């Protein structure tokens, strides 16, 4: 079959970037409402004007939504968060397997339509007057499972269309869909939260359903489907494993086949350590995703809409941080080093934000932007460019769908941290928000330690390789 070359590839690349950007924006847009609505489900009723006709005495929680009107409401919010996030983490390891075997267009379309359905179900609890924690937790579990269809699929699709050259910058820009989705989700949910919080879920649910239909009709999975030449993924072969002749391929930095000559895919040090680093980085990011509006509401005494709007500044900073991380890693060639520096800088910034971040409006805006960039920059780089680098390595040439599996392994491990962060925040926050920030700082330090280990082990492997070459000479 004759393949049309570069002009065809360029024309479709922009189209695929736009589509996948919209798709994952919709995924995150539909996740955000729960963090905005929390402030409405449990409020300080003494500051709320009681509507005429309501005559309730000695009831300090008359304006709250049962069952979140109890003193343990933060724990109940943690249950909702983790119903989604634990299901997401478990499902992610399975999702990559399906992503390898099913057409991405069908898989993504199903995931978005199903996610829209369950997001709407949560909002319908308002109109159906449902006050059962079990109902909302079940909806969150199901939504968490179907949302795992998104990330491995969109990264695999983009990886099919883009080579390695400027992948960090391209995916840094493209990965802003996460923050854009969070911002739009906050604004949409905030528009309805004070009047009818059910619409804060229903509108995002309808949006992601619409993008699922768009995906079904227009997504092009790979260049071969439209007779375009595939991009160049492989700049040089992976010879470290073969040259050093390690007995266990899991100690090799790059993605190498089994040393006994087989073609099977083995987990490598790059995948394992980037996965562990993402676990801690995502713990911090998702704690902010689910708890920042409530923190701002409690500490700065904003209402639910104001707190939600203010929290979008963290995601604005995340957009800049993701692009910056991609640019620097492309220029220096050091994905791990870039992440390490940003993680080191993030820890003291988190401490400062909790200490002085609410002194005045200007300080709050500046600290939210800075913390958002430093927290989300490494997270964005690992889940995009790093995953694509490892999943499209030359040693995996025989497995064209390996990118989906590698992405699912890395993001699935990270999702364990995403589940732990909000859970720990729910448990720790009653003892004081200061302790929550100490937990986040500790996670950032641990992520950096894993990253340092990755860099040092890679250096050791290269040294061993050079020594082995000298012996052969």
């Amino acid at each position: 079959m004759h393949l049309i070359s570069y002009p065809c590839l360029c024309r479709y690349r922009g189209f695929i970037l736009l589509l996948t950007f919209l798709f994952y924006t919709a995924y995150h847009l539909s996740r955000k409402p729960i963090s905005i609505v929390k402030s409405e489900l449990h409020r300080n009723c003494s500051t709320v004007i009681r509507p005429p006709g309501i005559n309730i005495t000695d009831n300090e929680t008359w304006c709250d939504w049962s069952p979140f009107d109890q003193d343990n409401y933060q724990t109940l919010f943690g249950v909702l968060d983790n119903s989604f996030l634990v299901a997401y983490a478990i499902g992610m390891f399975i999702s990559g397997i399906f992503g390898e075997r099913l057409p991405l267009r069908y898989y993504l379309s199903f995931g978005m339509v199903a996610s829209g359905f369950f997001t709407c179900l949560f909002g319908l609890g308002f109109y159906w007057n449902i006050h059962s924690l079990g109902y909302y937790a079940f909806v969150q579990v199901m939504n968490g499972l179907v949302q795992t269809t998104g990330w491995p699929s969109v990264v695999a699709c983009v990886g099919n269309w883009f080579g390695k050259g400027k992948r960090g910058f391209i995916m840094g820009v493209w990965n802003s869909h996460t923050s854009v989705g969070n911002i739009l989700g906050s604004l949409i949910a905030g528009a309805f939260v004070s009047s009818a919080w059910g619409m804060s879920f229903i509108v995002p649910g309808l949006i992601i359903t619409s993008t699922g239909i768009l995906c079904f009709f227009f997504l092009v999975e790979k260049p071969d489907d439209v007779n375009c030449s595939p991009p160049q993924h492989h700049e040089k072969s992976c010879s470290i494993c073969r040259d050093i002749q390690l007995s266990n391929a899991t100690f090799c930095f790059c993605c190498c086949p089994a040393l006994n000559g087989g073609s099977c895919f083995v987990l490598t040090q790059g995948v394992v350590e980037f996965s562990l680093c993402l676990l801690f980085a995502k713990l911090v990011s998702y704690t902010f995703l689910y708890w920042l509006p409530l923190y701002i509401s409690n500490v700065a005494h904003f209402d639910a809409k104001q707190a939600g709007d203010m929290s979008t500044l963290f995601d604005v900073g995340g957009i800049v941080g993701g692009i910056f991380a991609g640019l620097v890693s492309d220029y220096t060639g050091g994905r791990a080093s870039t992440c390490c520096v940003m993680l080191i800088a993030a820890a003291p910034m988190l401490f400062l934000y909790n200490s002085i971040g609410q002194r005045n409006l200007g300080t709050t805006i500046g600290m939210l932007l800075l913390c958002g960039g430093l927290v989300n920059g490494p997270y964005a780089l690992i889940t995009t460019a790093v995953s694509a680098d490892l999943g499209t390595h030359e040693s995996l040439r025989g497995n064209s769908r390996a990118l989906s599996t590698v992405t699912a392994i890395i993001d699935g491990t990270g999702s364990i941290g995403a589940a732990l962060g909000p859970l720990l925040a729910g448990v720790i926050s009653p003892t004081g928000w200061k302790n929550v920030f100490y937990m986040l700082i500790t996670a950032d330090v641990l992520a950096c330690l894993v990253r340092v280990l990755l860099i040092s082990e890679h250096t050791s492997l290269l040294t061993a390789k050079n020594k082995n070459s000298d012996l052969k000479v």
Side-chain angles (χ1 to χ4, degrees):
M1 181 189 303
H2 175 68
L3 296 180
I4 306 171
S5 58
Y6 196 71
C8 167
L9 194 63
C10 286
R11 185 171 66 250
Y12 275 97
R13 274 177 170 177
F15 179 65
I16 295 302
L17 275 183
L18 177 61
L19 275 184
T20 52
F21 184 94
L22 291 176
F23 297 159
Y24 214 69
T25 294
Y27 271 101
H28 259 264
L29 183 150
S30 65
R31 294 179 195 176
K32 187 63 179 179
I34 184 65
S35 66
I36 305 299
V37 172
K38 282 177 183 176
S39 300
E40 184 69 16
L41 297 178
H42 188 96
R43 295 184 286 174
N44 182 359
C45 296
S46 64
T47 64
V48 179
I49 300 175
R50 183 169 299 181
I54 296 181
N55 185 19
I56 302 176
T57 58
D58 299 327
N59 187 347
E60 297 179 352
T61 61
W62 65 269
C63 67
D64 297 335
W65 187 270
S66 174
F68 308 104
D69 56 349
Q70 306 300 316
D71 292 337
N72 65 339
Y73 70 96
Q74 290 175 314
T75 302
L76 299 183
F77 287 151
V79 169
L80 291 187
D81 294 341
N82 279 272
S83 296
F84 177 93
L85 292 169
V86 171
Y88 185 88
I90 294 172
M92 186 59 72
F93 290 101
I94 304 171
S95 181
I97 299 174
F98 285 105
E100 284 188 2
R101 291 161 174 78
L102 298 175
L104 294 181
R105 182 165 63 92
Y106 298 151
Y107 193 48
L108 267 173
S109 298
F110 165 78
M112 284 186 276
V113 171
S115 181
F117 172 74
F118 289 112
T119 302
C120 288
L121 273 185
F122 197 108
L124 288 172
F126 172 80
Y127 295 98
W128 294 342
N129 201 28
I130 295 176
H131 298 275
S132 167
L133 179 65
Y135 170 84
Y136 296 110
F138 171 77
V139 172
Q140 287 285 84
V141 167
M142 297 306 298
N143 203 5
L145 289 174
V146 297
Q147 285 238 341
T148 61
T149 58
W151 190 241
S153 300
V154 295
V155 173
C157 188
V158 172
N160 288 338
W161 283 93
F162 287 87
K164 192 173 182 179
K166 298 298 181 183
R167 184 178 276 161
F169 170 70
I170 292 170
M171 286 195 157
V173 175
W174 174 76
N175 191 64
S176 63
H177 52 47
T178 298
S179 296
V180 171
N182 291 340
I183 292 169
L184 292 177
S186 298
L187 295 177
I188 292 172
F192 300 101
V193 65
S194 298
S195 55
W197 62 258
M199 292 302 293
S200 297
F201 291 90
I202 292 174
V203 173
L206 294 176
I207 291 174
I208 191 172
T209 299
S210 301
T211 56
I213 297 172
L214 188 69
C215 174
F216 181 81
F217 286 106
F218 295 105
L219 181 66
V220 181
E221 180 179 337
K222 53 186 182 296
D224 292 346
D225 294 341
V226 287
N227 294 335
C228 288
S229 299
Q232 180 66 36
H233 289 298
H234 319 297
E235 295 179 352
K236 56 184 179 179
S237 63
C238 173
S239 58
I240 298 177
C241 288
R242 290 188 294 274
D243 288 347
I244 302 177
Q245 292 294 302
L246 297 175
S247 59
N248 187 346
T250 59
F251 288 100
C252 182
F253 175 76
C254 54
C255 301
C256 297
L259 293 177
N260 59 8
S263 59
C264 62
F265 170 68
V266 292
L267 288 182
T268 65
Q269 188 176 51
V271 174
V272 172
E273 293 190 4
F274 273 116
S275 297
L276 291 176
C277 182
L278 184 62
L279 185 150
F280 296 111
K282 205 166 180 178
L283 183 154
V284 178
S285 181
Y286 267 65
T287 301
F288 276 99
L289 174 67
Y290 281 92
W291 286 91
L292 181 58
L294 186 62
Y295 169 76
I296 294 174
S297 178
N298 287 352
V299 175
H301 308 294
F302 290 164
D303 63 30
K305 185 181 186 307
Q306 291 173 329
D309 292 345
M310 185 65 69
S311 70
T312 61
L313 293 172
F314 184 84
D315 293 297
V316 173
I319 294 174
V320 178
I323 296 173
F324 175 78
L327 273 172
V328 172
S329 69
D330 278 341
Y331 179 75
T332 62
R335 310 278 197 222
S337 303
T338 302
C339 292
C340 190
V341 171
M342 295 185 76
L343 289 167
I344 290 173
M349 287 302 105
L350 292 177
F351 178 81
L352 286 176
Y353 173 60
N354 182 56
S355 301
I356 66 172
Q358 309 300 333
R359 286 187 177 179
N360 55 67
L361 184 60
T363 303
T364 300
I365 292 173
M367 293 302 298
L368 281 172
L369 291 171
L370 188 57
C371 289
L374 293 174
V375 168
N376 285 337
Y379 162 41
L381 188 62
I382 296 171
T383 55
T384 54
V386 169
S387 297
D389 288 349
L390 294 173
T392 58
H393 196 275
E394 182 181 12
S395 60
L396 299 177
R397 192 186 298 274
N399 185 355
S400 61
R401 299 291 186 118
L403 178 54
S404 180
T405 296
V406 170
T407 302
I409 291 171
I410 293 176
D411 200 51
T413 305
S415 296
I416 297 174
L420 286 174
L423 174 63
L424 292 174
V427 173
I428 297 172
S429 56
T431 68
W433 286 106
K434 177 177 66 175
N435 295 327
V436 174
F437 275 84
Y438 287 153
M439 179 266 291
L440 298 177
I441 292 169
T442 301
D444 249 332
V445 172
L446 290 173
C448 186
L449 289 177
V450 174
R451 187 71 72 226
V452 170
L453 177 62
L454 175 61
I455 297 171
S456 62
E457 290 295 335
H458 186 205
T459 303
S460 299
L461 284 169
L462 291 175
T463 302
K465 175 182 179 293
N466 291 333
K467 287 181 179 179
N468 189 60
S469 299
D470 293 340
L471 289 174
K472 287 182 179 179
V473 173

